[in-house]
Amino acid sequence: MKVRIQLFGALGVKLPQFASPEGVEIELPDDSTAGDLLEYLKIPDAWHPAVAMNSRLLKYEGRIEAGAEIRIFQAVHGG
């Protein structure tokens, strides 16, 4: 299935091949989860990513829908 992903925060710098203001279309296997997507993009848990599908936050086991708009955010730390 095809989905469009957008990366926010430092993720665009860390993964320039997927960085684009309008997003990048990628192909995932059917029944992929948010965790599968993060693994495909090689985004480690240590980066504390948050995945939103069609403006709704997903848990890592949440299923991704074909044609979805996916936004991935990196947690911000500091004071």
Side-chain angles (χ1 to χ4, degrees), residues 7-42:
L7 304 176
F8 293 90
L11 291 175
V13 174
K14 293 177 180 178
L15 301 166
Q17 69 273 31
F18 296 110
S20 170
E22 51 283 334
V24 175
E25 190 171 89
I26 63 170
E27 184 83 26
L28 292 173
D30 292 341
D31 295 326
S32 290
T33 65
D36 295 333
L37 172 61
L38 294 173
E39 187 175 313
Y40 173 84
L41 296 174
K42 296 183 178 21

Side-chain angles (χ1 to χ4, degrees), residues 3-77:
V3 298
R4 180 167 295 280
I5 61 166
Q6 286 181 290
L7 304 176
F8 293 90
L11 291 175
V13 174
K14 293 177 180 178
L15 301 166
Q17 69 273 31
F18 296 110
S20 170
E22 51 283 334
V24 175
E25 190 171 89
I26 63 170
E27 184 83 26
L28 292 173
D30 292 341
D31 295 326
S32 290
T33 65
D36 295 333
L37 172 61
L38 294 173
E39 187 175 313
Y40 173 84
L41 296 174
K42 296 183 178 21
I43 297 176
D45 289 341
W47 292 359
H48 306 287
V51 178
M53 178 180 69
N54 301 329
S55 301
R56 178 177 47 109
L57 283 176
L58 286 179
K59 294 182 179 182
Y60 284 13
E61 64 273 6
R63 295 273 178 223
I64 293 177
E65 301 168 359
E69 296 285 330
I70 307 288
R71 291 176 177 85
I72 305 172
F73 305 86
Q74 185 176 4
V76 177
H77 301 277

